[in-house]
Amino acid sequence: MSSETAPEAELSTALSAATVSNKQRKRDTRKAEKAAKREQQKPAAEDPSPEKEQKPSAEDDPSAGNYGDVLPVPGEILPAAVPYGPWAEIGHLDRASVGRSVLVRGTAQAAYCGSKTKKVAFLELRQGMSTVQCVLAGSAQMALFALSLPKESVVFVEGAVALLDKPLRYTTVQEVEIQVRKLYCVSRAKPKLPISVEDAGRSAEEFAMAEANGVQLPRVGQDTRLNHPAINLRTPAVQAIFRIKHQIEHKFREYLSSRDFIGIHTPKLISGSSEGGAAVFKLEYKNGKTACLAQSPQLHKQMAICGGLRRVFEVGHIFRAEDSNTHRHLCEFVGMDAEMEIMRHYFEVCDIVDGFFVELFRHLNENCRTALEAVNRQYPFEPLKYLENTLRLSYEEGIQMLKEAGTEVEPMGDLNTEAERKLGQLVREKYDTDFFILYRYPLAARPFYTMPCYENPAYSNSFDVFLRGEEIISGAQRIHEPELLAKRVAEHGIDKSSIKSYLESFSYGTPPHGGFGIGLERVVKLFCGLDDIRMASLFPRDPQRLSP
């Protein structure tokens, strides 16, 4: 079938001309005459009833029962005219499907007609990230109905799968099409949407090509996208981002479960700060008490280790009341946390991190190619470089690399964003990797529960993990000695009464342990080379955004 297009106005005129034959005109004339006679025969006092839209009869339109808007019927979604049968997934249609009758529900992405024939219309149907061409031939009325559908309307299609003479370029299903026998609309979209899926899905390259030809295409800004997530989510790249995000979370659960970690759920309403500091959301609790939204599951996952669970993990929401309006911070994000007993050295925790990410990167590259290609088409990025044995540098080695490159950093302090990015660049140039571990941070730069180095208390048994020059993980050995822990709490000015149960847990006998926390959205952002972390959050919450 040809996929050449013509303007919809031209199609409408052509189809009208093709369908209104002399015989049809005579029928219309006879109907009008009969209607006029009926009006004359009505009593004078009788008010004329409102005109009702006349649907084509079976004689006028033999296909009238095969298309239209689905009227709501109690307990039913599909009209009786739609046959029962298995639903087909658009993404599964291929050469093996040729000749099969299929029933598909999807979104009307576009409707147009071919210029070579007057009685054929084309409907692009979308289902998630998959699209297929549907052909409506033989019924001018059904074709006009398809053209009347607003973009993004939800429709049912029943028809036969047919092989194309030439592969299509603009649909994901390229070798076959659906020859439509029935078409029903179950939900009409507004004729004019706040943003166009087509506009929201354009790449920088498309804009550049259009401008080179003197055409200005509409641009959809970040705030506009975030204000209308139900439409923005329909673009291929955004669909792909959240499928990749799901795979990362799934792989985290799978990898840790296979290594005897137990999934737990910790409270998000707590009585005090879990990290120390003032970056907490406070709220009024019952009986006049004040509560906080948890900054991390840190204290409770340590208590689970105290309770003998040995290895635990959690995937859950984390809240940070930081006034950070940056491309990498959110006030609410998903944390992937783990805690485990250690036997000899806190590098045992690093080993888990190392193994997980190497397996994750391999999994994404091998099993998420379609999604990664969809992201890359709109937001081009370089494939991630990583080593099978992850590079580990000490904090002091990292500082030395920065100094040699002329970057000054605060001695014995945490790395700022600029220093992190520069170090990532230097590591990539020297070691050919975008992923590495930096360990043995100064104790002053770590939370109160971090274990100091035994040989030098100015440093700590801790580490951070970097991806494309940005930190995605903080981890460390934790303090399991009650006296040292109480001392560190006092040094950080934390009210002991607010974490009383946590502190008491360590007086019952606790094994040495350590763990880490991963920001899921940051991993997505950096693996896919995205500019802003909000692109990796379905409904982002930052210092300025609390809806939708």
Side-chain angles (χ1 to χ4, degrees):
M1 286 290 183
S2 168
S3 59
E4 296 177 11
T5 62
E8 289 188 13
E10 180 183 337
L11 169 69
S12 182
T13 302
L15 287 175
S16 296
T19 54
V20 183
S21 63
N22 289 332
K23 187 176 179 181
Q24 181 67 45
R25 290 194 187 96
K26 290 178 181 178
R27 284 201 198 97
D28 292 342
T29 301
R30 287 198 298 270
K31 285 183 180 179
E33 290 173 351
K34 290 179 181 178
K37 287 181 180 179
R38 285 196 298 271
E39 286 296 321
Q40 290 175 358
Q41 293 171 358
K42 285 182 181 180
E46 182 180 339
D47 292 332
S49 59
E51 291 183 0
K52 295 182 179 179
E53 184 181 350
Q54 297 293 323
K55 294 184 178 180
S57 66
E59 180 185 2
D60 298 332
D61 181 9
S63 64
N66 294 333
Y67 67 91
D69 289 285
V70 175
L71 300 176
V73 178
E76 296 290 338
I77 295 177
L78 280 173
V82 177
Y84 281 91
W87 291 95
E89 293 290 319
I90 288 177
H92 296 165
L93 299 178
D94 54 20
R95 282 176 172 266
S97 310
V98 173
R100 281 176 44 203
S101 290
V102 294
L103 186 60
V104 177
R105 187 173 76 185
T107 299
Q109 180 164 277
Y112 46 86
C113 74
S115 59
K116 289 185 178 180
T117 176
K118 305 297 184 182
K119 292 187 177 182
V120 176
F122 297 90
L123 179 68
E124 282 181 36
L125 205 61
R126 188 182 71 243
Q127 202 178 62
M129 292 176 61
S130 302
T131 54
V132 67
Q133 174 176 277
C134 300
V135 184
L136 301 97
S139 171
Q141 291 90 339
M142 186 187 289
L144 281 172
F145 174 74
L147 291 169
S148 75
L149 294 171
K151 290 182 178 180
E152 301 305 305
S153 297
V154 179
V155 300
F156 295 112
V157 163
E158 189 271 327
V161 180
L163 188 67
L164 286 159
D165 295 333
K166 294 181 180 180
L168 297 175
R169 291 181 299 173
Y170 56 86
T171 54
T172 62
V173 176
Q174 299 180 331
E175 294 187 310
V176 299
E177 65 184 8
I178 300 176
Q179 295 180 344
V180 179
R181 292 189 289 253
K182 299 178 187 292
L183 170 66
Y184 299 96
C185 180
V186 68
S187 177
R188 279 184 177 257
K190 288 182 178 180
K192 186 173 178 59
L193 300 177
I195 58 176
S196 159
V197 174
E198 183 181 10
D199 291 339
R202 289 196 177 99
S203 65
E205 182 182 6
E206 289 178 89
F207 284 113
M209 290 175 62
E211 289 172 6
N213 292 319
V215 178
Q216 291 292 327
L217 296 173
R219 292 179 179 268
V220 182
Q222 177 82 316
D223 282 341
T224 303
R225 292 173 183 274
L226 297 181
N227 288 338
H228 303 285
I231 302 178
N232 185 52
L233 183 57
R234 301 180 188 190
T235 62
V238 179
Q239 284 266 326
I241 287 168
F242 289 101
R243 281 168 166 75
I244 292 167
K245 186 176 183 178
H246 161 73
Q247 287 295 322
I248 295 171
E249 178 183 343
H250 170 72
K251 201 64 184 175
F252 179 78
R253 295 178 187 274
E254 180 184 75
Y255 184 86
L256 293 189
S257 296
S258 71
R259 283 152 181 80
D260 298 324
F261 282 75
I262 297 171
I264 62 172
H265 299 282
T266 61
K268 304 309 167 198
L269 284 171
I270 59 177
S271 59
S273 169
S274 48
E275 295 282 355
V280 293
F281 287 105
K282 295 184 178 181
L283 62 147
E284 184 179 340
Y285 200 58
K286 295 294 184 180
N287 302 322
K289 296 180 180 179
T290 300
C292 297
L293 293 178
Q295 294 167 293
S296 86
Q298 184 58 47
L299 308 189
H300 291 90
K301 65 179 181 174
Q302 281 188 260
M303 291 170 72
I305 298 297
C306 294
L309 288 183
R310 304 195 67 193
R311 290 185 163 200
V312 298
F313 73 89
E314 178 176 15
V315 178
H317 284 261
I318 288 174
F319 304 89
R320 300 283 172 89
E322 297 173 324
D323 193 19
S324 298
N325 295 282
T326 74
H327 70 283
R328 54 184 280 181
H329 288 95
L330 290 171
C331 292
E332 179 184 0
F333 60 92
V334 177
M336 301 190 299
D337 281 80
E339 204 74 19
M340 57 184 277
E341 291 185 5
I342 56 180
M343 300 302 177
R344 294 182 179 275
H345 198 278
Y346 74 96
F347 272 13
E348 294 165 27
V349 182
C350 296
D351 293 340
I352 292 292
V353 172
D354 185 348
F356 164 64
F357 274 96
V358 169
E359 187 167 314
L360 172 67
F361 297 152
R362 188 185 303 117
H363 171 78
L364 294 177
N365 288 330
E366 292 177 358
N367 300 287
C368 300
R369 290 177 184 173
T370 300
L372 291 171
E373 288 169 2
V375 175
N376 202 28
R377 278 194 296 272
Q378 185 168 0
Y379 306 109
F381 64 93
E382 291 184 22
L384 184 80
K385 291 189 173 185
Y386 66 96
L387 304 174
E388 288 296 323
N389 294 310
T390 301
L391 173 69
R392 300 182 190 185
L393 295 172
S394 70
Y395 174 86
E396 292 168 294
E397 289 173 313
I399 295 299
Q400 186 60 33
M401 289 178 68
L402 288 169
K403 287 182 177 179
E404 290 174 359
T407 300
E408 293 298 324
V409 295
E410 180 184 349
M412 303 302 286
D414 205 355
L415 299 181
N416 58 32
T417 302
E418 182 183 349
E420 286 181 358
R421 189 176 293 116
K422 182 63 177 178
L423 182 58
Q425 177 188 333
L426 295 172
V427 167
R428 194 178 203 270
E429 292 171 355
K430 184 174 181 178
Y431 298 100
D432 198 34
T433 182
D434 292 313
F435 181 74
F436 66 97
I437 296 173
L438 194 67
Y439 65 91
R440 192 181 157 94
Y441 269 74
L443 184 63
R446 310 306 282 194
F448 72 89
Y449 46 75
T450 305
M451 179 66 79
C453 286
Y454 297 109
E455 72 278 12
N456 187 348
Y459 290 90
S460 62
N461 291 348
S462 63
F463 63 92
D464 278 358
V465 181
F466 293 86
L467 188 62
R468 296 192 198 269
E470 289 190 27
E471 176 228 315
I472 58 167
I473 298 178
S474 281
Q477 179 183 349
R478 320 302 188 185
I479 297 174
H480 63 280
E481 302 165 3
E483 295 79 11
L484 178 57
L485 184 59
K487 178 184 176 185
R488 291 284 292 159
V489 167
E491 290 173 351
H492 279 72
I494 298 172
D495 181 7
K496 291 183 180 180
S497 64
S498 66
I499 54 173
K500 181 181 178 181
S501 297
Y502 166 77
L503 293 174
E504 283 186 355
S505 299
F506 295 91
S507 64
Y508 308 149
T510 303
H513 61 281
F516 58 88
I518 307 172
L520 176 56
E521 286 82 0
R522 279 199 189 177
V523 177
V524 177
K525 170 191 177 298
L526 294 165
F527 185 83
C528 295
L530 304 175
D531 292 333
D532 197 310
I533 196 169
R534 291 159 188 78
M535 298 169 70
S537 177
L538 198 58
F539 304 103
R541 295 291 179 260
D542 59 34
Q544 309 303 324
R545 180 171 289 275
L546 196 55
S547 65

